[in-house]
């Protein structure tokens, strides 16, 4: 997978994530977000996605392009790709 290393992010970077719909857990979409300063610690990063700030966790998958996110999504969802 073409994952971004969170240590190499910069404020203002556009990233793409596979975002699960919180109301319909079986539905996922590729969404673009922006890397912004964390509101409580301006030296830390947060992800601005869907008009909401999200803390970036160690297990978050961030992609540089929509194509990379789509490729990862389809590889993960392909039952024959084991």
């Amino acid at each position: 997978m073409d994952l971004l290393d969170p240590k190499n992010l910069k404020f203002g970077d556009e990233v793409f994530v596979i975002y699960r719909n919180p109301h319909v857990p079986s539905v996922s979409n590729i969404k673009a977000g922006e890397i912004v300063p964390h509101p409580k610690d301006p030296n830390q990063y947060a992800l601005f996605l869907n008009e909401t700030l999200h803390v970036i966790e160690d297990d978050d998958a961030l992609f540089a392009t929509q194509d990379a996110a789509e490729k990862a999504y389809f590889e993960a969802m392909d039952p024959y790709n084991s």
Side-chain angles (χ1 to χ4, degrees), residues 5-66:
D5 183 345
K7 295 176 186 127
N8 295 330
L9 296 172
K10 297 183 296 289
F11 296 130
D13 283 352
E14 180 179 51
V15 297
F16 294 85
V17 298
I18 301 168
Y19 183 78
R20 291 218 166 168
N21 183 324
H23 305 291
V24 185
S26 63
V27 175
S28 296
N29 297 298
I30 307 295
K31 296 282 191 174
E34 182 180 354
I35 301 301
V36 298
H38 189 284
K40 294 184 180 176
D41 183 353
N43 296 319
Q44 295 295 319
Y45 297 114
L47 175 65
F48 189 66
L49 179 74
N50 291 338
E51 304 298 320
T52 304
L53 286 172
H54 300 270
V55 174
I56 297 175
E57 304 288 342
D58 290 337
D59 61 349
D60 286 342
L62 305 173
F63 301 91
T65 66
Q66 183 168 347

